[in-house]
Structure formats: C-alpha cells, structure tokens
Amino acid sequence: MTDVDTGSGDRLALAALTQYRMATTEQMHRVITPEVRREQTRRRLAKLRDEGLIDRITLPRAGRLRAWFPTSYGVQIASEWPEFRGRRPPKTVSDPTAVRLRVGHTLTVTETALVFLEDARRRGELCRPLDWIPEVHHPLGGGEAVIPDALMYYRQGREGGDGPMLRAFVEVDRATMGPERLAAKLTAYARLHGYVPTTPGQRRPAFGQEPAQEAWRRRYPLFPRLLFVLDGTGPAGITTRIHALHVAAMDPALALFVRTVPVLSAALADLRAHGPSRPVWHPVQEPDHTVAWSWSPHG
C-alpha cells in the first residue's frame, strides 16, 4: 500500500492532479500549499512519483518546464475516493503521449482554474480546488454532447455564509481555431439549454400531465453561465473573437438563450492582472462594455 498522507497535502495533490489532468510544479504549489516554501511542494510531488501515483514530462521549448499528470495507478486510487464517485477521468489522462499532445491547452485550463481559486482566497469566498471539474459530459441525444473545458462551482460572500452559488461552464480558447468556430459553440450550448430527452415510442404528455423537462434541470437549479476565456493572441485577436461571439449571438435562434443565460468573454491576461471578480468581462450582447462575471442579463 502506498503511503498517501490523507491528512495533509498528499491526497489533495493527487486529487487535484487527477481532476485537472495536468499541472506544472508552480501550478501545483499554488493549488495545494501556497503558504509554504515551494521546495516542500517539489518534495511532495517527487514522493508521489516515487510511489507510482504521478509522473511528469519535460517541455523542451519552455525552459525545461515540468508538467505533472496522474498515472493509471494514481487515477485508480483517486477514483475510489468519495469526491470522485461517478466521475472517473478518461483513460488518456494517464497516457504520456496524450499528455504531451494536449499540454498547451490543458495547462491553460489549469491556469484559468487558478485565477478563480486564488481570487476566491483573496476575497474570502468559497471556491476550492475540486470545485473546478474539467470535461463534464452533457448529452444532446444521437451520440452528440456538449463537453465544456470545465464546470465551476463558486459561492459568493464570506466563506461559511449563505451567499449565492454561481455555476459556470468555462470554455478556454487559445486561438487554435478560427473565430467562427469559436462562436459556433454558442449554438451547441443553446441546444443544450433547450434539449429535452425522449425515448423511442414515447407519447406526448396527456392533458394535465407535466411536460418533459430539459435534461440540464436534473443537474442544476439554474443553467450555468457561460464564460469564454481567451488566450494565445494579442489584443486585436482578442477583440476579433469577442465580436465574433457577438455576431453569432445576434442569430434569432439564439435569442432566448442569450437573453436568459449570462454569456461573457474575457482575456486570460486581464483575469491574471486584475482578477476574475473585477469588471473585465464582455457580455455577448454588448461586446464594448465590461462587467463582473457575476453579472446577470436580468440586472
């Protein structure tokens, strides 16, 4: 049996790495123990690696930066914990080749998680490391699905209070696809918003019966807000992508969705510089304005 210290940082380190898929040494330090010296985090990661729970790849073009990921054994151990019940990560999360091919995007998603996590810590609000859940599968029927880069849970107000719970689907774009393909994701989320599952031969509700509900209502009391985090391009490229989202949102077929669900976009650089709670987000309806991410189209 491995010597995983469930009472301190070992368990959190393995859980966070299993959930986030991948992180650098610095990112892991910021997630699990930012209050201690970084050398302690390095020793913890080396210990978990010696136990066969995690491994690493070295990125030759990034100053020999190390990216850590869970091994198949580490995923097996973590998946047995209550916090992972029903959420086993994909098999490729522990495959070194798959890790290498996805490293840029995955590390950017991890960095996006950290800007929210660290902002919550500064503000005394509640967003813990495992409140960021990558790649939650939302079926649309016919084998199709919406799989956001992450689903985030964030409780506003002082920790221990009864502030509102905000949920968000987060899409991280590194400018690897054209603005139109990015904007097309709005249509997929609008479909999810209206998707009512059916079964073959199912009859329409009889008079007086409750109509079938949208699938998302089984998971969420409100449809999560949709946040686009933009990176990998300069200010002009960011502006182009923000306006492409705005143009897509003008489609009459998306009117109900964008009127009901907050859809916002922001540059990752602005989130790092100012914090995601600041008014750095552009509403899809008004791309030249900025608001806080807790903004609602209903005021």
Side-chain angles (χ1 to χ4, degrees), residues 210-250:
E210 290 291 330
Q213 288 192 325
E214 296 87 349
W216 63 264
R217 296 186 187 276
R218 300 173 183 174
R219 299 188 184 193
Y220 314 110
L222 294 173
F223 194 88
R225 62 197 56 232
L226 177 54
L227 306 179
F228 288 92
V229 177
L230 310 175
D231 195 36
T233 185
I238 296 291
T239 298
T240 296
R241 302 177 100 71
I242 289 171
H243 281 269
L245 288 167
H246 170 66
V247 170
M250 300 296 288

Side-chain angles (χ1 to χ4, degrees), residues 2-291:
T2 56
D3 181 26
V4 177
D5 180 2
T6 59
S8 62
D10 285 9
R11 176 168 175 149
L12 177 58
L14 179 57
L17 202 53
T18 300
Q19 183 132 307
Y20 290 14
R21 317 299 202 232
M22 193 188 313
T24 64
T25 303
E26 180 200 6
Q27 287 175 331
M28 286 299 295
H29 180 71
R30 290 159 62 194
V31 170
I32 59 175
T33 49
E35 71 282 356
V36 304
R37 291 188 303 113
R38 193 162 301 174
E39 183 57 33
Q40 291 182 238
T41 301
R42 292 194 183 97
R43 288 201 298 266
R44 187 184 305 281
L45 295 172
K47 172 175 176 281
L48 293 175
R49 187 185 187 217
D50 289 342
E51 293 170 338
L53 294 166
I54 68 174
D55 205 348
R56 70 190 184 201
I57 60 171
T58 301
L59 311 180
R61 296 185 181 181
R64 301 197 61 77
L65 190 71
R66 290 171 174 172
W68 298 88
F69 61 96
T71 63
S72 57
Y73 179 49
V75 170
Q76 177 187 342
I77 294 294
S79 295
E80 295 173 357
W81 296 340
E83 53 264 47
F84 285 96
R85 189 167 293 129
R87 288 198 289 110
R88 186 178 179 87
K91 293 180 180 179
T92 54
V93 73
S94 57
D95 181 85
T97 300
V99 168
R100 180 176 57 81
L101 293 175
R102 297 192 62 186
V103 65
H105 181 76
T106 307
L107 290 180
T108 304
V109 174
T110 298
E111 185 65 24
T112 304
L114 275 161
V115 297
F116 283 97
L117 181 63
E118 292 173 331
D119 197 48
R121 288 171 178 164
R122 286 191 295 266
R123 296 169 61 84
E125 298 185 321
L126 187 58
C127 184
R128 296 195 174 105
L130 299 188
D131 289 333
W132 179 273
I133 310 171
E135 299 178 2
V136 179
H137 189 273
H138 296 79
L140 287 174
E144 296 184 84
V146 172
I147 307 175
D149 286 321
L151 165 67
M152 179 178 65
Y153 291 86
Y154 189 112
R155 186 174 295 281
Q156 288 188 303
R158 305 299 296 182
E159 186 169 347
D162 58 353
M165 171 65 76
L166 299 180
R167 300 165 187 83
F169 292 133
V170 184
E171 288 286 346
V172 177
D173 173 65
R174 298 175 57 244
T176 55
M177 64 177 72
E180 292 78 13
R181 283 188 60 197
L182 170 67
K185 292 191 175 187
L186 275 177
T187 301
Y189 281 97
R191 286 181 61 197
L192 178 62
H193 185 254
Y195 171 61
V196 177
T198 59
T199 55
Q202 182 178 12
R203 297 180 179 179
R204 297 179 63 181
F207 180 76
Q209 285 185 328
E210 290 291 330
Q213 288 192 325
E214 296 87 349
W216 63 264
R217 296 186 187 276
R218 300 173 183 174
R219 299 188 184 193
Y220 314 110
L222 294 173
F223 194 88
R225 62 197 56 232
L226 177 54
L227 306 179
F228 288 92
V229 177
L230 310 175
D231 195 36
T233 185
I238 296 291
T239 298
T240 296
R241 302 177 100 71
I242 289 171
H243 281 269
L245 288 167
H246 170 66
V247 170
M250 300 296 288
D251 185 337
L254 302 183
L256 175 63
F257 176 67
V258 298
R259 188 170 64 246
T260 306
V261 177
V263 180
L264 309 168
S265 57
L268 179 56
D270 289 338
L271 303 187
R272 284 190 181 123
H274 308 291
S277 59
R278 302 298 297 169
V280 295
W281 297 88
H282 300 263
V284 73
Q285 302 96 323
E286 299 180 280
D288 297 323
H289 290 72
T290 54
V291 297

